[in-house]
């Protein structure tokens, strides 16, 4: 088994537009291969409803590179509607770090199987975004690294994302802030925001397992109709588990 790489990137930006039709796209590439998959949608997408609003984006993913030396870089682009003069300004601090992970402690990355429509308020598993971990000691911890795209089908939307743990006993635990919120929320109510959920979280299951971790999403009712506005997810996305052994 080959060692894995964990690229982490944070970047401060100001999107200079005021339209839901425009997006700033960011990704990490290994040599000339984008880590966002063949759909080429980026690892992060940002939006803004007013110019000059400064925000910080995060990109995180686990890569499975072939043997040999590699160069990791960050690339950016802007996709726009009919407007001209649309720019995305990089401001202040930016950081790209690369962590080498021994193959024996990593499960994954498991990748999204394909796009699915999320249009219900209940949590729905994203096909493909699942890893199974068995620990050697009950005190071991598990670092989950995940990212996923989110593509609204309208101008009013609210989508929630979370990581769940399903243990061998059948118990299911939502690892988010709450059962309703999850770990991430993507909504049209924000004046400016990142739209692709990404993150790292450390879990302490407390037993050997096996434990199955999976990414799920749900669409909330924004009050504009009786239905929950839909989003499409799964063009790109991955989840990995890193076992952090206790002493």
């Amino acid at each position: 088994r080959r060692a894995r790489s964990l690229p982490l990137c944070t970047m401060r930006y100001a999107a200079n537009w005021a339209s839901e039709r425009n997006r700033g796209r960011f990704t990490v590439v290994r040599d000339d291969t984008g880590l966002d998959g063949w759909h080429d949608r980026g690892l992060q997408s940002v939006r803004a409803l007013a110019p000059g609003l400064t925000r910080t984006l995060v990109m995180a993913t686990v890569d499975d590179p072939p043997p040999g030396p590699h160069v990791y870089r960050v690339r950016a682009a802007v996709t726009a509607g009919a407007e001209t003069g649309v720019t995305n300004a990089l401001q202040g601090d930016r950081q790209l770090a690369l962590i080498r992970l021994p193959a024996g402690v990593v499960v994954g990355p498991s990748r999204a199987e394909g796009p699915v429509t999320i249009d219900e308020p209940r949590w729905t598993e994203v096909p493909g975004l699942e890893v199974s971990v068995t620990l050697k000691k009950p005190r071991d911890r598990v670092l989950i690294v995940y990212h996923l795209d989110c593509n609204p089908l309208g101008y009013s939307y609210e989508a929630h994302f979370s990581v769940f743990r399903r243990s061998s006993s059948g118990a299911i635990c939502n690892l988010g802030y709450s059962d309703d919120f999850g770990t991430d929320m993507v909504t049209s109510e924000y004046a400016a925001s990142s739209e692709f959920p990404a993150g790292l979280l450390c879990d302490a299951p407390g037993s050997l397992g096996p434990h199955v971790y999976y990414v799920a999403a749900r669409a909330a009712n924004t009050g504009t109709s009786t239905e929950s506005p839909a989003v499409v997810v799964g063009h790109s996305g991955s989840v990995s588990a890193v076992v952090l052994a206790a002493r």
Side-chain angles (χ1 to χ4, degrees):
R1 297 179 62 188
R2 297 194 299 263
R4 306 292 197 269
S5 297
L6 171 56
L8 300 171
C9 179
T10 62
M11 190 174 301
R12 195 166 175 82
Y13 69 93
N16 292 314
W17 62 76
S19 172
E20 280 282 10
R21 300 178 63 188
N22 303 335
R23 291 293 188 273
R25 306 281 184 176
F26 297 83
T27 194
V28 178
V29 299
R30 178 202 347 112
D31 305 323
D32 287 320
T33 301
L35 302 186
D36 51 319
W38 65 273
H39 284 284
D40 198 28
R41 290 173 175 259
L43 286 175
Q44 192 53 269
S45 172
V46 301
R47 56 177 284 281
L49 298 180
L53 298 178
T54 302
R55 297 291 188 271
T56 299
L57 65 86
V58 174
M59 292 185 286
T61 187
V62 172
D63 184 34
D64 184 12
H70 302 284
V71 177
Y72 287 80
R73 294 168 290 183
V74 176
R75 290 178 176 172
V78 173
T79 56
E83 294 94 351
T84 59
V86 174
T87 63
N88 199 8
L90 305 182
Q91 300 179 347
D93 296 336
R94 64 201 73 163
Q95 175 177 278
L96 173 63
L98 189 66
I99 302 173
R100 186 177 183 273
L101 301 171
V105 303
V106 182
V107 179
S110 295
R111 307 189 188 281
E113 295 179 356
V116 293
T117 300
I118 304 297
D119 57 3
E120 296 184 10
R122 64 179 179 86
W123 290 106
T124 302
E125 295 185 40
V126 180
L129 295 188
E130 177 182 298
V131 290
S132 179
V133 178
T134 300
L135 305 180
K136 295 181 178 180
K137 300 177 183 178
R139 292 178 294 136
D140 289 349
R141 285 168 169 74
V142 182
L143 177 68
I144 301 297
V145 185
Y146 70 95
H147 73 90
L148 180 65
D149 65 339
C150 177
N151 307 280
L153 297 184
Y155 293 127
S156 177
Y157 52 90
E158 181 182 319
H160 294 257
F161 301 84
S162 198
V163 177
F164 288 76
R165 181 199 341 115
R166 182 169 55 239
S167 299
S168 55
S169 64
I172 296 177
C173 178
N174 187 337
L175 302 181
Y177 298 106
S178 69
D179 286 339
D180 287 335
F181 186 91
T183 56
D184 292 276
M185 180 175 71
V186 176
T187 175
S188 56
E189 291 297 308
Y190 292 149
S193 60
S194 301
E195 294 228 297
F196 287 4
L200 300 87
L201 60 88
C202 188
D203 182 41
S207 64
L208 298 181
H211 304 285
V212 175
Y213 293 89
Y214 62 90
V215 179
R218 72 179 191 89
N221 192 317
T222 60
T224 57
S225 69
T226 58
E227 300 179 346
S228 301
V231 298
V232 175
V233 305
H235 288 285
S236 64
S238 71
V239 62
S240 302
V242 182
V243 178
L244 306 177
R247 292 186 177 182

